[in-house]
Amino acid sequence: MVAEASKILTKRVIDDHTCIQQSFKLFVGSWNVGGIPPPHNFNLDHFLHTQDSMADIYVLGFQEIVPLNAGNILAAEHSNISIKWNSLIKAALNKRTPTEDAFHKTEAGESQRVYPLTTQSSIKPGAMDYKCIISKQMVGIYITIWARTEISQYISYPSASCVGCGILGRLGNKGSVSIRFCLHETSFCFVCSHLASGGKEGDERHRNADAANILSRTLFPPEPLQHLPRKILDHDRVIWLGDLNYRIQLPEETTRSLVKNKDWNLLLQSDQLCKNEIKLRAEMSKGHVFEEWNEGIIEFAPTYKYEQNTDEYYGSGHKGKVKRMRAPAWCDRIIWFGKGLKQIQYNRVESRLSDHRPVYGRFIAYVEVPTLPGI
C-alpha cells in the first residue's frame, strides 16, 4: 500500500477538505551521455542505486542522447534511442531482462509518453514494480519519470513543455524539457536542461540567458476545469537538473592542482553557478534566474571533462597542448526551488560511458493527501 512507503506527517484543511501530509522518496538523476548509445543489456543498477533503498518516484534526465550534429538538431525526437534508454531503466527498476520489442518505434501519437512493457513472466519474485508515467525528448535532451505502480494511480495531469535555446535562440541542441504532474494534491515540476557551453570568461552570460528563457517561455497546456500551474515557479515542488555547463573561474593549472588535492571548498568559491546565484539575488526585481534556488553541499569531484573510457580528466595525460583544453568543472547539477523538499543525498556516479559523470540526488518530498470523509 502507499502508506507503507510514505510517512504521515500532519493533518490540515485544503479547499474545505481535510488533507494529511505524507512524505515520498524521490530519486533525481542527470547524465550527459555524450551522444553515445547505451550498449544492449547496459546495466543501470549503479546509476539508479537499485541496490539501496528504492525510491517511490524516479526522475531521470539525459543530455546528448544523440550526437548534436546538424541532422539530429533538425529532428526533435529519435524514438529508437529514447525507447532503448527506457527499456534499460525498466530492466533496472523492475529487475527484468530487456527485450527486443522495447527497441521498436512507438506508434503514432506515442511520442510524448513511452510506456514500459508488461512482461509479467519475466519479473523476479518479490521485485517492486515501476511504471513509466511520462517521457519526452527534444533532440539530445530526454527526461523520463517512473513511479511505483501502486502510487501511479494518484499521479494526474502529466504534461511536457519544450524550450529550444540553441542555434538562432530556438533550436533544440540547447534548452530544456520540463515535465509537470500532480501527486495527490501537490504539483511537481522537473526541468531537464542543457545550457550554453563554453569555458571563456563571459560565457556564463549565455547560460544565464538560456535559464531566463526557459523560465519565461516554458508554458504547460491548460487543463479544462482545473486551476493547475502553467509556469515553472508556480508549482509546489520544483527541481532543475541537467548539464548547466557552469565552469570554474580559475587558471586551468590552478583548477587541476586543486582538483588533484580535492580542495572542493576553494574550487566552489570560484564556481560560476555559485557566484552568479549570489549576484542575481541582488537583481530580484529584474526577475533574473536562480534567485533563492537551493543546492546541496558538493562533496564530490567535478563531473566534467574526462578522457573517454578512463578516470583521467581531459588533457591531464598530455605533455603538450591539446587542441581544445577543458578544465575540470561541475557542469552537471541538481538544484531546487521553494519548500516541501528535503535533500538527503547529493553525489556522482562512477561510469566511463561518456566524458561526464552522472549526478543524483535523493529527496524527501512532502505531499498533501486528501482523507476520506469522516477521517
Side-chain angles (χ1 to χ4, degrees):
M1 298 295 292
V2 177
E4 294 176 353
S6 58
K7 181 180 179 182
I8 298 175
L9 300 175
T10 61
K11 181 183 288 188
R12 65 192 187 94
V13 176
I14 297 181
D15 296 333
D16 298 327
H17 63 268
T18 302
C19 281
I20 56 175
Q21 192 177 75
Q22 294 184 3
S23 64
F24 290 81
K25 293 181 290 185
L26 181 65
F27 182 99
V28 180
S30 177
W31 194 357
N32 184 323
V33 295
I36 301 171
H40 183 59
N41 287 331
F42 185 58
N43 192 330
L44 289 177
D45 286 347
H46 194 45
F47 176 39
L48 303 181
H49 285 260
T50 55
Q51 70 277 15
D52 300 332
S53 175
M54 298 290 282
D56 297 312
I57 297 175
Y58 285 81
V59 179
L60 305 172
F62 298 86
Q63 304 82 46
E64 295 191 51
I65 66 167
V66 296
L68 300 184
N69 55 43
N72 288 332
I73 289 172
L74 295 176
E77 300 196 37
H78 305 262
S79 59
N80 280 339
I81 188 67
S82 59
I83 294 173
K84 187 173 184 179
W85 277 109
N86 253 23
S87 175
L88 294 168
I89 293 165
K90 173 181 72 77
L93 293 180
N94 293 320
K95 305 303 180 186
R96 303 174 183 177
T97 301
T99 62
E100 291 300 323
D101 291 339
F103 305 129
H104 292 170
K105 288 186 177 181
T106 53
E107 298 178 1
E110 287 287 306
S111 61
Q112 179 164 305
R113 299 187 187 185
V114 181
Y115 295 94
L117 298 180
T118 54
T119 313
Q120 296 297 330
S121 59
S122 63
I123 304 175
K124 291 184 178 180
M128 298 178 69
D129 200 11
Y130 289 82
K131 177 180 180 180
C132 181
I133 302 303
I134 183 171
S135 299
K136 182 65 178 175
Q137 179 187 359
M138 180 185 71
V139 188
I141 303 171
Y142 180 59
I143 183 170
T144 179
I145 297 180
W146 296 68
R148 290 191 301 108
T149 301
E150 54 263 46
I151 71 169
S152 64
Q153 61 183 309
Y154 303 108
I155 294 177
S156 57
Y157 308 109
S159 184
S161 177
C162 300
V163 172
C165 299
I167 299 171
L168 303 177
R170 291 286 173 176
L171 292 187
N173 56 308
K174 294 293 190 293
S176 68
V177 179
S178 300
I179 296 290
R180 74 101 185 270
F181 62 80
C182 292
L183 174 57
H184 291 290
E185 301 289 317
T186 300
S187 62
F188 286 80
C189 182
F190 299 93
V191 183
C192 179
S193 73
H194 193 181
L195 305 186
S197 60
K200 301 189 300 295
E201 177 138 13
D203 283 341
E204 70 273 11
R205 289 194 292 270
H206 300 298
R207 293 184 268 277
N208 292 345
D210 283 354
N213 273 323
I214 290 167
L215 285 169
S216 64
R217 290 167 50 196
T218 298
L219 189 67
F220 294 101
E223 294 287 346
L225 306 178
Q226 298 294 328
H227 299 288
L228 297 179
R230 301 186 64 193
K231 303 292 290 184
I232 291 172
L233 296 182
D234 292 336
H235 290 79
D236 298 317
R237 313 286 182 258
V238 182
I239 296 180
W240 190 311
L241 58 143
D243 182 355
L244 306 190
N245 251 324
Y246 286 94
R247 310 302 171 92
I248 296 169
Q249 289 292 77
L250 287 174
E252 184 174 323
E253 291 184 2
T254 303
T255 297
R256 291 184 183 273
S257 175
L258 292 172
V259 167
K260 185 177 181 180
N261 294 328
K262 299 183 179 181
D263 195 340
W264 311 143
N265 288 333
L266 188 54
L267 280 167
L268 285 165
Q269 290 177 19
S270 296
D271 174 74
Q272 289 177 345
L273 180 57
C274 293
K275 289 202 304 180
N276 284 320
E277 183 179 9
I278 295 170
K279 181 178 69 175
L280 290 174
R281 285 177 181 172
E283 303 177 25
M284 291 173 62
S285 62
K286 300 179 182 179
H288 285 184
V289 295
F290 298 134
E291 63 181 55
E292 299 182 358
W293 285 76
N294 305 291
E295 183 176 29
I297 298 173
I298 293 179
E299 297 179 319
F300 51 87
T303 57
Y304 174 86
K305 171 180 171 76
Y306 283 88
E307 297 274 8
Q308 196 71 40
N309 296 318
T310 76
D311 292 324
E312 298 292 328
Y313 285 105
Y314 184 75
S316 60
H318 297 271
K319 294 182 179 179
K321 286 283 186 181
V322 296
K323 186 175 180 181
R324 298 176 68 188
M325 294 300 290
R326 291 287 188 271
W330 284 284
C331 289
D332 309 279
R333 312 290 273 268
I334 299 172
I335 59 179
W336 73 95
F337 181 84
K339 300 178 180 179
L341 292 166
K342 179 182 178 181
Q343 190 177 68
I344 57 177
Q345 192 176 15
Y346 189 27
N347 211 337
R348 58 178 249 171
V349 178
E350 304 309 317
S351 173
R352 296 177 176 177
L353 181 69
S354 78
D355 54 356
H356 289 251
R357 295 295 186 262
V359 295
Y360 70 95
R362 293 179 184 272
F363 293 84
I364 298 296
Y366 301 107
V367 173
E368 303 292 345
V369 179
T371 61
L372 295 175
I375 296 180

